[in-house]
Amino acid sequence: MQTVNGVASKMFGYKKEDMIGKNLNILMPEPYSTQHSSFLREYLRTGRSSVLGNVRAFEALHSKGHIFPVTLNANRIDSSHGIQFVGVLRPSEDLDAVISCDREGMITSVNKTCLKMFGYKNVDAIVGKNVKVLMPTKDARDHDAHMQRYLSSGVAHVVGTIGRRLKGRRSDGKVFNISLGLTESGSGASISFTARIRNVQDESGMVTINSTGKVLNCNKVSLNTEQKIVVSGQQ
């Protein structure tokens, strides 16, 4: 990196002087951090890129270790100093927990939504642990066998799916409903997996009534309407 502005240094949690002169891959989670140099070499060799000139959504890596979503608009500039690249980054909202792990199931990065959803205070409390810590006992017990079966056969039951309904487990042991999307990148020893998880505990409106039709209880989603709901006969 040759120049950065104040917005970029604040966004990533670095001082400007700690960014200038460093490789751009310090701002990327795995596996993109490791793969970035080879992608750049391939572009310089072929002139082909799916990133340059387009606005793309990516995951970025904060200096404190958590990942966060950004949109990137990167372009090439040819100057008297040679080829240079300029990127404009904007943070974007992410309602999903994002978790990356290696082929052994060890967590390599998470975003802030993941920490909040699963009840962990900081990145160090979860990165480096097996992803099984986020699963109920039965699913955790079966996970290694499922992973090895997939790696040896290539037959996927979860990888590549979106919206698969499963259970998650918070740090306090509480189990809750989740929707999982799981993707794979890399190959061989460098295979990694990225999960996007949404809490679906309160995705549907739920109202409990008694035999006379009186509302006894309801969740927050059911209250998110233009009409008022009467609980136990009172507004």
Side-chain angles (χ1 to χ4, degrees):
M1 288 180 278
Q2 297 177 327
T3 61
V4 297
N5 66 3
V7 175
S9 64
K10 182 177 180 180
M11 185 186 302
F12 287 93
Y14 288 99
K15 295 180 180 179
K16 289 183 182 180
E17 55 267 31
D18 293 331
M19 299 176 71
I20 293 174
K22 299 289 180 61
N23 193 293
L24 187 65
N25 61 15
I26 67 169
L27 309 181
M28 305 173 186
E30 292 292 350
Y32 312 109
S33 176
T34 300
Q35 296 171 349
H36 179 256
S37 293
S38 61
F39 288 156
L40 184 56
R41 286 194 298 269
E42 183 66 12
Y43 165 71
L44 293 173
R45 185 180 69 84
T46 65
R48 294 193 297 269
S49 172
S50 61
V51 176
L52 294 178
N54 299 308
V55 178
R56 298 285 300 272
F58 289 97
E59 301 292 342
L61 180 65
H62 194 273
S63 63
K64 292 185 178 180
H66 64 265
I67 57 178
F68 61 100
V70 298
T71 57
L72 168 68
N73 184 1
N75 290 280
R76 169 177 169 167
I77 296 176
D78 294 298
S79 70
S80 59
H81 301 288
I83 298 174
Q84 296 178 313
F85 300 94
V86 176
V88 177
L89 290 157
R90 290 186 174 87
S92 56
E93 184 179 11
D94 199 340
L95 300 177
D96 297 339
V98 180
I99 305 165
S100 296
C101 64
D102 62 19
R103 61 177 291 137
E104 304 300 327
M106 305 305 290
I107 298 171
T108 56
S109 63
V110 298
N111 65 355
K112 282 187 174 181
T113 304
C114 174
L115 297 177
K116 182 177 181 181
M117 185 182 296
F118 287 91
Y120 288 89
K121 292 183 178 180
N122 54 59
V123 172
D124 293 337
I126 187 170
V127 169
K129 293 186 177 180
N130 195 288
V131 72
K132 292 186 294 186
V133 301
L134 307 180
M135 303 175 186
T137 303
K138 182 180 184 304
D139 293 337
R141 184 175 59 243
D142 298 337
H143 181 260
D144 287 347
H146 291 325
M147 177 77 84
Q148 291 306 315
R149 188 179 305 117
Y150 169 69
L151 291 174
S152 60
S153 69
V155 178
H157 297 286
V158 179
V159 176
T161 61
I162 299 174
R164 188 179 181 91
R165 296 301 178 95
L166 297 169
K167 300 287 186 180
R169 185 180 68 178
R170 289 173 49 86
S171 60
D172 60 7
K174 182 180 178 180
V175 175
F176 63 103
N177 297 321
I178 63 172
S179 173
L180 170 71
L182 186 64
T183 57
E184 172 191 356
S185 61
S187 61
S190 63
I191 284 179
S192 63
F193 301 92
T194 299
R196 299 189 70 90
I197 298 173
R198 180 161 294 186
N199 185 341
V200 295
Q201 190 75 22
D202 290 328
E203 191 173 73
S204 302
M206 297 179 63
V207 179
T208 303
I209 62 174
N210 65 12
S211 59
T212 66
K214 181 183 292 185
V215 176
L216 301 177
N217 197 8
C218 60
N219 68 356
K220 290 182 179 180
V221 175
S222 64
L223 292 172
N224 190 25
T225 65
E226 294 181 357
Q227 298 179 346
K228 294 181 179 179
I229 290 180
V230 179
V231 180
S232 298
Q234 297 181 0
Q235 290 187 353

